[in-house]
Amino acid sequence: MDNNISSTSLSGISSLGSRLKDLSGTQGRISTGLRVNNPKDNSSVFAIAQQVSGNISGMTAIKTSLNQAEASVNTAVAAGQAASDLVLEMKSKAVQANQPGLDESSRRALNQEFQQMSDQLNTLTSSASFNDTNLVQNGAEGVDVLVSQDGEKLRIEGQDLSSQNLGFDNISLETAEGAAEALNTVNAAVDTVSSAVAELGSSASRIEQQSEFTTSLDNVLKEGLGNMVDADLGTESAKNAAEKVKAELGLKSLAIANAGPNAMKSLFPG
Protein backbone atom coordinates (compact mmCIF):
# COMPACT_ATOMS: atom_id res chain seq x y z
CA MET A 1 0.00 0.00 0.00
CA ASP A 2 1.33 3.41 -0.94
CA ASN A 3 2.35 5.53 2.06
CA ASN A 4 0.86 8.77 0.71
CA ILE A 5 -0.71 11.60 2.68
CA SER A 6 -4.44 11.03 2.64
CA SER A 7 -7.01 13.58 1.60
CA THR A 8 -8.17 13.60 5.22
CA SER A 9 -4.69 14.58 6.37
CA LEU A 10 -4.48 17.37 3.78
CA SER A 11 -7.83 18.72 4.93
CA GLY A 12 -6.67 18.55 8.55
CA ILE A 13 -3.44 20.40 7.74
CA SER A 14 -5.37 23.15 5.99
CA SER A 15 -7.84 23.48 8.86
CA LEU A 16 -5.06 23.49 11.44
CA GLY A 17 -3.19 26.21 9.55
CA SER A 18 -6.31 28.37 9.51
CA ARG A 19 -6.82 27.88 13.23
CA LEU A 20 -3.21 28.72 14.04
CA LYS A 21 -3.50 31.87 11.94
CA ASP A 22 -6.65 32.90 13.85
CA LEU A 23 -4.90 32.14 17.14
CA SER A 24 -1.91 34.28 16.16
CA GLY A 25 -4.19 37.20 15.23
CA THR A 26 -6.09 36.99 18.50
CA GLN A 27 -2.88 36.87 20.54
CA GLY A 28 -1.59 39.89 18.60
CA ARG A 29 -4.72 41.88 19.45
CA ILE A 30 -4.43 40.92 23.11
CA SER A 31 -0.75 41.87 23.31
CA THR A 32 -1.23 45.30 21.68
CA GLY A 33 -4.74 46.05 22.88
CA LEU A 34 -5.65 47.02 19.31
CA ARG A 35 -7.85 45.33 16.76
CA VAL A 36 -6.43 47.53 13.98
CA ASN A 37 -2.63 47.52 14.13
CA ASN A 38 -1.78 48.17 10.50
CA PRO A 39 -3.41 48.78 7.09
CA LYS A 40 -3.78 45.02 6.51
CA ASP A 41 -6.21 44.75 9.41
CA ASN A 42 -8.57 47.42 8.02
CA SER A 43 -7.14 49.92 5.58
CA SER A 44 -9.93 52.52 5.78
CA VAL A 45 -10.13 52.50 9.58
CA PHE A 46 -6.33 52.64 9.82
CA ALA A 47 -6.22 55.71 7.55
CA ILE A 48 -8.88 57.52 9.58
CA ALA A 49 -7.15 56.54 12.82
CA GLN A 50 -3.88 58.04 11.58
CA GLN A 51 -5.62 61.34 10.88
CA VAL A 52 -7.26 61.35 14.31
CA SER A 53 -3.91 60.52 15.94
CA GLY A 54 -2.41 63.54 14.17
CA ASN A 55 -5.19 65.75 15.53
CA ILE A 56 -4.59 64.41 19.03
CA SER A 57 -0.88 65.25 18.74
CA GLY A 58 -1.84 68.76 17.67
CA MET A 59 -4.18 69.06 20.66
CA THR A 60 -1.31 68.12 22.95
CA ALA A 61 0.73 71.04 21.57
CA ILE A 62 -2.25 73.40 21.97
CA LYS A 63 -2.76 72.32 25.58
CA THR A 64 0.92 72.95 26.31
CA SER A 65 0.65 76.45 24.82
CA LEU A 66 -2.49 77.22 26.83
CA ASN A 67 -1.04 75.85 30.06
CA GLN A 68 2.04 78.04 29.75
CA ALA A 69 -0.05 81.09 28.89
CA GLU A 70 -2.41 80.42 31.79
CA ALA A 71 0.51 80.21 34.22
CA SER A 72 2.00 83.46 32.85
CA VAL A 73 -1.28 85.35 33.10
CA ASN A 74 -2.06 83.99 36.57
CA THR A 75 1.38 85.17 37.67
CA ALA A 76 0.61 88.61 36.25
CA VAL A 77 -2.80 88.68 37.95
CA ALA A 78 -1.21 87.86 41.32
CA ALA A 79 1.38 90.59 40.79
CA GLY A 80 -1.35 93.03 39.73
CA GLN A 81 -3.33 92.38 42.88
CA ALA A 82 -0.22 92.90 45.01
CA ALA A 83 0.55 96.10 43.06
CA SER A 84 -2.99 97.33 43.65
CA ASP A 85 -2.63 96.83 47.40
CA LEU A 86 0.71 98.60 47.36
CA VAL A 87 -0.61 101.59 45.41
CA LEU A 88 -3.46 101.96 47.91
CA GLU A 89 -0.89 102.09 50.70
CA MET A 90 0.99 104.76 48.75
CA LYS A 91 -2.24 106.74 48.47
CA SER A 92 -2.59 106.58 52.24
CA LYS A 93 0.88 108.11 52.63
CA ALA A 94 0.10 110.81 50.06
CA VAL A 95 -3.14 111.72 51.86
CA GLN A 96 -1.29 112.00 55.17
CA ALA A 97 1.32 114.21 53.52
CA ASN A 98 -1.45 116.61 52.45
CA GLN A 99 -2.46 117.27 56.04
CA PRO A 100 -2.21 121.03 56.77
CA GLY A 101 0.46 122.07 59.22
CA LEU A 102 2.48 118.86 58.91
CA ASP A 103 6.01 119.32 60.22
CA GLU A 104 9.10 118.67 58.08
CA SER A 105 10.20 115.63 60.08
CA SER A 106 6.87 113.91 59.48
CA ARG A 107 7.00 114.82 55.80
CA ARG A 108 10.44 113.29 55.46
CA ALA A 109 9.31 110.10 57.17
CA LEU A 110 6.23 109.83 54.95
CA ASN A 111 8.32 110.53 51.86
CA GLN A 112 10.81 107.83 52.81
CA GLU A 113 8.04 105.27 53.16
CA PHE A 114 6.51 106.41 49.87
CA GLN A 115 9.81 106.00 48.03
CA GLN A 116 10.38 102.57 49.56
CA MET A 117 6.95 101.48 48.33
CA SER A 118 7.74 102.82 44.88
CA ASP A 119 10.95 100.75 44.84
CA GLN A 120 9.03 97.72 46.11
CA LEU A 121 6.54 98.16 43.28
CA ASN A 122 9.37 97.95 40.75
CA THR A 123 10.79 94.86 42.45
CA LEU A 124 7.38 93.23 42.45
CA THR A 125 6.62 93.85 38.79
CA SER A 126 10.09 92.96 37.52
CA SER A 127 10.03 89.59 39.29
CA ALA A 128 6.55 88.52 38.11
CA SER A 129 7.84 86.21 35.37
CA PHE A 130 6.89 82.72 34.28
CA ASN A 131 8.93 80.97 31.61
CA ASP A 132 10.57 84.29 30.69
CA THR A 133 7.19 85.95 30.16
CA ASN A 134 6.41 89.04 32.24
CA LEU A 135 3.19 90.89 31.51
CA VAL A 136 3.48 93.62 34.18
CA GLN A 137 7.10 94.77 34.15
CA ASN A 138 8.39 98.11 32.85
CA GLY A 139 7.80 98.14 29.09
CA ALA A 140 5.73 94.94 29.24
CA GLU A 141 4.65 93.66 25.84
CA GLY A 142 1.76 91.38 25.02
CA VAL A 143 1.98 87.77 23.91
CA ASP A 144 0.11 85.71 21.33
CA VAL A 145 -1.23 82.35 22.50
CA LEU A 146 -1.86 79.54 20.01
CA VAL A 147 -5.40 78.26 20.61
CA SER A 148 -6.17 76.06 17.59
CA GLN A 149 -4.46 73.80 15.06
CA ASP A 150 -5.55 76.22 12.34
CA GLY A 151 -3.12 78.79 13.73
CA GLU A 152 -5.73 80.91 15.52
CA LYS A 153 -4.17 83.03 18.27
CA LEU A 154 -5.38 84.86 21.33
CA ARG A 155 -3.68 88.16 22.12
CA ILE A 156 -2.82 88.90 25.74
CA GLU A 157 -1.86 92.54 26.19
CA GLY A 158 0.90 93.51 28.59
CA GLN A 159 0.05 95.83 31.50
CA ASP A 160 3.00 97.97 32.60
CA LEU A 161 2.54 98.43 36.36
CA SER A 162 6.02 99.72 37.13
CA SER A 163 6.43 102.87 39.22
CA GLN A 164 7.91 104.59 36.18
CA ASN A 165 4.84 103.97 34.07
CA LEU A 166 2.50 104.97 36.91
CA GLY A 167 4.31 108.30 37.20
CA PHE A 168 5.93 107.86 40.61
CA ASP A 169 9.42 108.87 39.46
CA ASN A 170 10.64 112.26 40.73
CA ILE A 171 7.72 112.61 43.16
CA SER A 172 8.41 113.81 46.69
CA LEU A 173 6.16 114.29 49.71
CA GLU A 174 8.60 116.64 51.44
CA THR A 175 6.72 119.75 50.30
CA ALA A 176 3.03 120.63 50.27
CA GLU A 177 3.15 121.11 46.50
CA GLY A 178 4.86 117.77 46.02
CA ALA A 179 2.33 116.03 48.28
CA ALA A 180 -0.56 117.50 46.27
CA GLU A 181 1.02 116.32 43.01
CA ALA A 182 1.68 112.89 44.50
CA LEU A 183 -1.96 112.51 45.54
CA ASN A 184 -3.17 113.32 42.02
CA THR A 185 -0.66 110.86 40.58
CA VAL A 186 -1.60 108.10 42.99
CA ASN A 187 -5.32 108.57 42.32
CA ALA A 188 -4.66 108.13 38.61
CA ALA A 189 -2.45 105.11 39.36
CA VAL A 190 -5.24 103.45 41.36
CA ASP A 191 -7.51 103.64 38.31
CA THR A 192 -4.75 102.42 35.99
CA VAL A 193 -3.88 99.42 38.16
CA SER A 194 -7.53 98.49 38.70
CA SER A 195 -8.17 98.55 34.96
CA ALA A 196 -5.01 96.54 34.28
CA VAL A 197 -5.89 93.85 36.83
CA ALA A 198 -9.40 93.59 35.37
CA GLU A 199 -7.96 93.16 31.87
CA LEU A 200 -5.54 90.49 33.06
CA GLY A 201 -8.34 88.71 34.90
CA SER A 202 -10.45 88.72 31.75
CA SER A 203 -7.53 87.26 29.76
CA ALA A 204 -7.02 84.56 32.40
CA SER A 205 -10.71 83.66 32.18
CA ARG A 206 -10.59 83.39 28.37
CA ILE A 207 -7.52 81.17 28.48
CA GLU A 208 -9.08 78.94 31.14
CA GLN A 209 -12.24 78.51 29.07
CA GLN A 210 -10.22 77.72 25.94
CA SER A 211 -8.10 75.24 27.90
CA GLU A 212 -11.20 73.45 29.21
CA PHE A 213 -12.67 73.28 25.71
CA THR A 214 -9.40 71.94 24.27
CA THR A 215 -9.19 69.28 26.98
CA SER A 216 -12.78 68.21 26.31
CA LEU A 217 -12.14 68.03 22.56
CA ASP A 218 -8.96 66.05 23.14
CA ASN A 219 -10.88 63.55 25.29
CA VAL A 220 -13.55 63.18 22.59
CA LEU A 221 -10.91 62.50 19.95
CA LYS A 222 -9.16 59.93 22.13
CA GLU A 223 -12.45 58.19 22.89
CA GLY A 224 -13.34 58.13 19.19
CA LEU A 225 -9.93 56.72 18.29
CA GLY A 226 -10.31 54.05 20.93
CA ASN A 227 -13.71 53.05 19.59
CA MET A 228 -12.18 52.61 16.13
CA VAL A 229 -9.02 50.67 16.92
CA ASP A 230 -9.12 49.30 20.47
CA ALA A 231 -9.72 45.59 20.92
CA ASP A 232 -12.36 44.16 23.24
CA LEU A 233 -9.95 42.33 25.52
CA GLY A 234 -12.69 40.30 27.20
CA THR A 235 -13.98 38.99 23.90
CA GLU A 236 -10.47 38.44 22.53
CA SER A 237 -9.42 36.51 25.64
CA ALA A 238 -12.42 34.20 25.28
CA LYS A 239 -11.62 33.70 21.59
CA ASN A 240 -8.00 33.01 22.45
CA ALA A 241 -8.98 30.22 24.85
CA ALA A 242 -11.41 28.72 22.32
CA GLU A 243 -8.88 28.87 19.47
CA LYS A 244 -6.25 27.14 21.61
CA VAL A 245 -8.65 24.28 22.23
CA LYS A 246 -9.49 24.09 18.52
CA ALA A 247 -5.79 24.07 17.61
CA GLU A 248 -5.09 21.26 20.10
CA LEU A 249 -8.00 19.23 18.75
CA GLY A 250 -6.74 19.88 15.23
CA LEU A 251 -3.31 18.54 16.13
CA LYS A 252 -4.83 15.42 17.67
CA SER A 253 -7.10 14.88 14.66
CA LEU A 254 -4.15 15.27 12.31
CA ALA A 255 -2.12 12.77 14.34
CA ILE A 256 -4.98 10.28 14.18
CA ALA A 257 -5.40 10.81 10.44
CA ASN A 258 -1.68 10.30 9.83
CA ALA A 259 -1.65 7.16 11.96
CA GLY A 260 -4.46 5.57 9.94
CA PRO A 261 -2.45 4.31 6.93
CA ASN A 262 0.21 2.78 9.17
CA ALA A 263 -2.47 1.01 11.18
CA MET A 264 -3.92 -0.45 7.98
CA LYS A 265 -0.50 -1.62 6.78
CA SER A 266 0.02 -3.48 10.04
CA LEU A 267 -2.93 -5.70 9.11
CA PHE A 268 -1.06 -6.97 6.05
CA PRO A 269 2.43 -7.98 7.15
CA GLY A 270 5.01 -8.96 4.61
Side-chain angles (χ1 to χ4, degrees), residues 5-19:
I5 297 176
S6 68
S7 61
T8 302
S9 296
L10 291 174
S11 177
I13 292 172
S14 176
S15 177
L16 179 61
S18 177
R19 288 170 182 170

Side-chain angles (χ1 to χ4, degrees), residues 45-73:
V45 170
F46 182 80
I48 295 172
Q50 288 295 95
Q51 293 178 348
V52 175
S53 295
N55 288 333
I56 291 174
S57 296
M59 284 296 173
T60 300
I62 297 299
K63 288 197 295 182
T64 299
S65 172
L66 288 169
N67 288 340
Q68 291 179 348
E70 187 173 11
S72 296
V73 176

